[in-house]
Amino acid sequence: MTENSSPEGVRLQKVLAAAGVASRRVVENYIVEGRIRVNGEVVTELGRRIDPEADLVDVDGTAVQLDVSKRYVMLNKPTGVVSSMRDESGRPDLRRFTKEYEERLYNVGRLDAETSGLLILTNDGALAHVLAHPSFGVTKVYIAKVEGAVTPQTISTLTKGIELEDGPIAADKARLLDTSRGSSLVELTLHSGRNRIVRRMMAAVGHPVTELVRRQFGPLHLGTLPAGRTRELTKIELGALLTLSRRDSDADPAPGEQQEKQ
């Protein structure tokens, strides 16, 4: 909708109040202060009407989800569970974590059965596409327990880059957290979505992974969420996630990329 005075649509303050941003009166103050944008343009007229299904709104640069039917859930996936809503081999799958929600939720991206950690469950297909597609380069942080004593030289090698069978790869960041009793803890930050990339990288530098957990996905942090538990994203987390997905969706994904599976 391009005309601020159009009689069609819903008043902006009503939509944002329904979305839980603030009361209508507070939203009106936001409009006057120029803190709200619709489709990238600052709104200053209190009579502005929008189409909640088509228009994109942000407050102070943070995206707002206007569709209250969308649900966003964080799961700390335990080991032994496959990242699928129904496993043909009968292995434990994600249905046990989604059955308490009325909406039909799906996982964003994948973690292999032996990897635990942060997985997003949602019914927002557009957001899921952007976040899961590796070409959009969403950053993920992993902590890997590996065999042997990792040296500073090895950490440097991981960030400078190594050659794998499907091409070169370098960690965005890498640091050694601990070394004891013949094993080490390494934190790796990556934006690559290549299949089992952390395990292959560590094996290539002579330190096979024995345990692997994803602690962070984009702006989301696992925090103290116990393994096997879920929680809905906070408004701050959701805003950060939507802002990231809308920014990245402006870029077209490169062809031929495959979805991640760590």
Side-chain angles (χ1 to χ4, degrees):
M1 186 177 299
T2 57
E3 295 295 326
N4 292 355
S5 59
S6 171
E8 298 178 358
V10 185
R11 281 187 177 270
L12 181 58
Q13 49 266 58
K14 180 179 180 180
V15 174
L16 290 182
V21 172
S23 68
R24 294 192 190 187
R25 185 177 298 274
V26 171
V27 171
E28 288 177 354
N29 291 335
Y30 289 173
I31 294 174
V32 172
E33 294 166 1
R35 297 169 60 182
I36 299 177
R37 297 187 303 175
V38 175
N39 300 325
E41 296 183 357
V42 176
V43 175
T44 56
E45 297 183 13
L46 294 178
R48 177 65 184 269
R49 293 174 179 269
I50 67 169
D51 180 353
E53 295 184 2
D55 291 326
L56 299 179
V57 177
D58 66 77
V59 179
D60 293 333
T62 299
V64 178
Q65 176 55 273
L66 303 180
D67 187 348
V68 295
S69 71
K70 295 293 189 290
R71 190 180 291 270
Y72 307 85
V73 175
M74 179 188 297
L75 164 68
N76 185 349
K77 187 190 83 66
T79 57
V81 175
V82 296
S83 296
S84 171
M85 288 302 162
R86 182 177 296 275
D87 184 64
E88 296 179 356
S89 301
R91 294 172 296 178
D93 54 39
L94 297 174
R95 284 177 295 173
R96 65 181 63 189
F97 306 111
T98 61
K99 61 185 179 182
E100 62 185 274
Y101 299 99
E102 294 181 4
E103 297 83 359
R104 191 174 183 180
L105 304 180
Y106 298 91
N107 50 299
V108 176
R110 301 170 64 85
L111 293 173
D112 67 33
E114 294 77 32
T115 300
S116 63
L118 199 161
L119 199 62
I120 302 170
L121 305 172
T122 185
N123 59 344
D124 186 339
L127 176 136
H129 168 71
V130 173
L131 296 181
H133 204 291
S135 64
F136 288 116
V138 178
T139 300
K140 302 107 178 173
V141 178
Y142 300 87
I143 295 179
K145 182 177 181 180
V146 302
E147 296 178 7
V150 174
T151 65
Q153 290 76 17
T154 298
I155 295 296
S156 178
T157 298
L158 290 168
T159 55
K160 288 181 179 178
I162 55 178
E163 190 72 31
L164 298 178
E165 64 274 12
D166 54 354
I169 184 70
D172 297 336
K173 298 178 184 177
R175 64 184 180 125
L176 179 61
L177 302 179
D178 185 49
T179 297
S180 63
R181 299 182 180 180
S183 65
S184 302
L185 285 180
V186 177
E187 181 184 87
L188 288 176
T189 301
L190 298 160
H191 64 269
S192 170
R194 285 152 65 177
N195 193 37
R196 299 174 66 89
I197 191 64
V198 174
R199 295 180 184 275
R200 292 194 289 132
M201 288 179 70
M202 296 310 303
V205 295
H207 297 280
V209 171
T210 56
E211 296 179 30
L212 184 61
V213 57
R214 182 161 69 189
R215 296 290 308 174
Q216 185 177 338
F217 186 97
L220 305 182
H221 298 259
L222 194 58
T224 58
L225 185 66
R229 298 290 297 274
T230 63
R231 68 168 177 82
E232 294 197 50
L233 299 189
T234 66
K235 290 191 182 302
I236 293 176
E237 289 173 329
L238 176 56
L241 199 64
L242 290 171
T243 301
L244 172 70
S245 69
R246 290 179 186 178
R247 182 201 71 195
D248 288 349
S249 65
D250 291 337
D252 292 328
E257 294 273 10
Q258 63 184 58
Q259 282 202 0
E260 64 167 350
K261 184 177 181 182
Q262 286 298 342

